[in-house]
Amino acid sequence: MSEAPIAYMARTRAWYLALGYDNPYQWAHHQDVPFAPLSRPLRETNVTLITTAAPFQQDKGPQGPGAPYNAAAKFWEAYSGDTAEDHDLRIAHVGIDRKHTRMEDSGTWFPLPLLRRLAGQCLLRLAPRFHGLPTNRSQRHTLDVDIPELLRRIEADGAQAALLVANCPVCHQSLSLAARALEQRGVATVVMGCARDIVEHCGVPRLLFSDFPLGNSAGRPGDPASQEETLRLALDLLETATAPRATRVNPQIWPGPPDWKLDYSNPDRLDAAERAARRAEAERARIAAKHARESALS
């Protein structure tokens, strides 16, 4: 198996072309990258957490470990939560790797309890709220609606830095766009992600890249030591980066089957019948998401 990261932009393009969609998605791309260094030591910095995970809604169908994509459980407007409390956030995104990870450990995508513990050790100051950013394929909606609302909430909290934890491919893009906007307002950021090409293509100040299946940007599941090391690497990058486009590679190795990179959205591993079934599944998901979004935003 190749040690190179998955080229998610190329892989998803090939996947949807194989399913019969002939309008490849245009990923956000910027040459210029804003950069805001920390204005004070990390231990004196108010740090917030930004997620694309959704609050669990008991009446919205499967959202637990191994759940299929569930458009009904998505959220379409920014939300916020008290960082002093525990929260049940789930990921049911369309692009999560469901074969090699089962979404059983929220510490791999929502490191708030660990962040709270490190704040208790005076490593940082924890902002009063964390924030959820919707995952929209529409870059214009993300830039014109979702990010301005996110900025308003973060500025109201007095946060001076942000950790942005990505899940699916479009999550990586949405959070990268948010990181850019935050840096332009003087808020230092680090994106924690598993899709390196999408984040670097968009152009961000700081990226902690973990070469894990999507849905595990905050560390390996069931491995508290991995999650703490991953978070500490992100915080160190937040404090020590001196210029934009600073990418740090998490040295940890995924413990699962070695061919996981070949499995993800790989049309070469499908026969004609499987492609037809996946096309039908994708179309159902697209229509369900469209209706859910229109209903939520109407």
Side-chain angles (χ1 to χ4, degrees):
M1 184 195 72
S2 171
E3 294 183 0
I6 293 176
Y8 282 99
M9 291 187 295
R11 184 72 66 85
T12 55
R13 181 180 188 276
W15 176 257
Y16 284 107
L17 284 173
L19 297 186
Y21 296 97
D22 59 359
N23 55 337
Y25 187 68
Q26 299 298 311
W27 296 93
H29 179 59
H30 300 274
Q31 293 288 352
D32 64 306
V33 179
F35 183 76
L38 283 185
S39 59
R40 62 195 69 192
L42 182 61
R43 65 180 180 276
E44 300 174 7
T45 301
N46 291 324
V47 180
T48 190
L49 178 64
I50 303 173
T51 179
T52 57
F56 174 63
Q57 302 174 73
Q58 191 169 5
D59 62 335
K60 293 297 177 62
Q63 299 157 68
Y69 173 60
N70 182 357
K74 291 189 68 172
F75 64 99
W76 302 101
E77 297 179 297
Y79 73 90
S80 302
D82 188 343
T83 55
E85 300 177 357
D86 290 329
H87 300 265
D88 186 1
L89 300 189
R90 311 285 179 96
I91 51 173
H93 301 69
V94 67
I96 294 299
D97 188 327
R98 287 176 168 78
K99 181 172 182 179
H100 296 281
T101 185
R102 288 184 48 79
M103 305 173 290
E104 295 175 321
D105 181 0
S106 64
T108 68
W109 66 80
F110 186 62
L112 177 59
L114 178 55
L115 194 60
R116 194 163 54 223
R117 178 162 66 82
L118 295 184
Q121 298 172 6
C122 298
L123 184 66
L124 55 98
R125 293 177 178 174
L126 188 57
R129 296 188 296 175
F130 74 90
H131 306 282
L133 182 74
T135 300
N136 272 298
R137 288 174 60 85
S138 168
Q139 296 170 33
R140 182 53 52 199
H141 192 92
T142 296
L143 290 167
D144 292 350
V145 179
D146 299 331
I147 288 178
E149 176 60 21
L150 178 70
L151 292 174
R152 186 190 67 78
R153 293 170 185 241
I154 288 176
E155 289 174 351
D157 292 345
Q160 297 144 340
L163 299 174
L164 302 95
V165 185
N167 294 298
C168 74
V170 178
C171 288
H172 283 75
Q173 175 176 264
S174 298
L175 291 183
S176 295
L177 292 171
R180 293 175 53 83
L182 286 165
E183 297 274 342
Q184 290 170 345
R185 295 290 190 94
V187 178
T189 67
V190 57
V191 175
M192 300 172 67
C194 299
R196 179 174 183 170
D197 62 325
I198 294 173
V199 177
E200 292 184 337
H201 185 73
C202 186
V204 300
R206 305 169 190 80
L207 164 64
L208 177 68
F209 167 63
S210 297
D211 200 6
F212 299 156
L214 295 178
N216 299 281
S217 291
R220 296 183 299 227
D223 189 340
S226 165
Q227 294 168 21
E228 179 165 350
E229 180 184 355
T230 301
L231 181 57
R232 286 181 178 272
L233 286 170
L235 292 170
D236 183 70
L237 179 60
L238 183 66
E239 190 169 31
T240 62
T242 58
R245 294 191 182 275
T247 295
R248 177 171 294 176
V249 177
N250 188 340
Q252 300 174 36
I253 298 173
W254 183 251
D259 63 346
W260 67 268
K261 292 183 183 181
L262 296 177
D263 283 334
Y264 180 81
S265 293
N266 189 343
D268 294 337
R269 295 202 161 193
L270 302 180
D271 59 27
E274 289 172 322
R275 290 189 186 190
R278 295 297 181 89
R279 163 72 189 208
E281 179 184 354
E283 193 63 12
R284 287 193 299 270
R286 184 189 68 80
I287 293 171
K290 181 176 183 292
H291 289 166
R293 182 178 185 277
E294 290 174 348
S295 175
L297 298 179
S298 62

